[in-house]
């Protein structure tokens, strides 16, 4: 059974039209991550939550926002998508308990196309 | 700050031959190391991880890796590859002092040929 679920798998949006990608988890993990992965590149961390604490990477554009209304759900909002934002967006979770990291569990990703 | 270097961007290999993918990391504190595999248009799947203990780690699909602290390396190996091992492989690191971040190397594309 899928433990980290991303919807939709494929998203087409218009240039400049706001879009939201969603991620849910059944693992009850305290950390959730959003990564952007462009073709043939490594995943790039955009931001992550430790519980409700939001941590933004310094080079994440202001165009990208995130919400985590509860433990299970996390959203990525792109306020005005540009052509350069076309990519695979990966959500992941991990459970940091008393400083002991376990692996990150990834969703299947959402491939965003901007037209 | 932590960083990961994967020394080979592409590795072609014949079926049933061994393969080694190299990964070096830098970190000033205790690290946790991971290898992930990614098939086309899929998310990342964990192959194996090193958290502590034995430096030789065995993972899924016949893969293993060895943590070498003195050389700051975590190389991935498989003694005999299959066509189905064709994929992108990512080495990743996280550490206690870095706000729970997981940082990835640039990836190694493994192409297995018959």
């Amino acid at each position: 059974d899928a433990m980290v679920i991303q919807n939709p798998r494929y998203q087409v949006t218009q240039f400049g039209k706001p879009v939201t990608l969603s991620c849910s988890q059944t693992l009850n993990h305290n950390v959730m991550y959003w990564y952007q992965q462009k073709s043939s590149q490594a995943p790039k961390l955009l931001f992550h939550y430790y519980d409700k604490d939001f941590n933004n990477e310094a080079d994440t554009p202001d165009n990208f926002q995130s919400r985590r209304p509860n433990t299970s759900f996390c959203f990525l909002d792109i306020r005005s998508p540009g052509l350069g934002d076309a990519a695979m967006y990966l959500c992941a979770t991990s459970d940091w308990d008393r400083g002991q990291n376990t692996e990150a569990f990834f969703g299947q990703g959402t491939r965003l196309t901007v037209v | 700050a932590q960083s990961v270097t994967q020394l080979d961007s592409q590795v072609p290999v014949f079926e049933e031959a061994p393969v080694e993918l190299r990964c070096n990391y830098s970190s000033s504190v205790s690290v946790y190391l991971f290898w992930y595999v990614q098939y086309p248009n899929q998310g990342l799947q964990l192959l194996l991880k090193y958290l502590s203990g034995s430096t030789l780690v065995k993972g899924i699909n016949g893969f293993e890796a060895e943590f070498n602290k003195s050389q700051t390396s975590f190389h991935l190996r498989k003694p005999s590859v299959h066509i189905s091992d064709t994929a992108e492989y990512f080495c990743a690191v996280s550490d206690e002092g870095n706000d729970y971040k997981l940082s990835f190397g640039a990836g190694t594309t493994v192409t297995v040929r018959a």
Side-chain angles (χ1 to χ4, degrees), chain A residues 11-27:
Chain A
Q11 175 75 57
V12 180
T13 190
Q14 291 181 338
F15 182 94
K17 183 176 180 180
V19 65
T20 295
L21 310 182
S22 72
C23 177
S24 63
Q25 57 143 329
T26 59
L27 298 164

Side-chain angles (χ1 to χ4, degrees), chain B residues 62-107:
Chain B
F63 284 93
E64 64 179 33
E66 186 157 16
F67 171 60
N68 188 320
K69 187 173 182 179
S70 63
Q71 297 186 3
T72 60
S73 68
F74 190 56
H75 300 334
L76 180 71
R77 303 183 184 94
K78 185 170 181 177
S80 176
V81 297
H82 303 290
I83 298 289
S84 59
D85 292 321
T86 295
E88 187 83 11
Y89 292 81
F90 292 97
C91 182
V93 63
S94 65
D95 64 46
E96 294 177 346
N98 208 30
D99 293 331
Y100 320 107
K101 293 181 188 179
L102 185 65
S103 298
F104 287 87

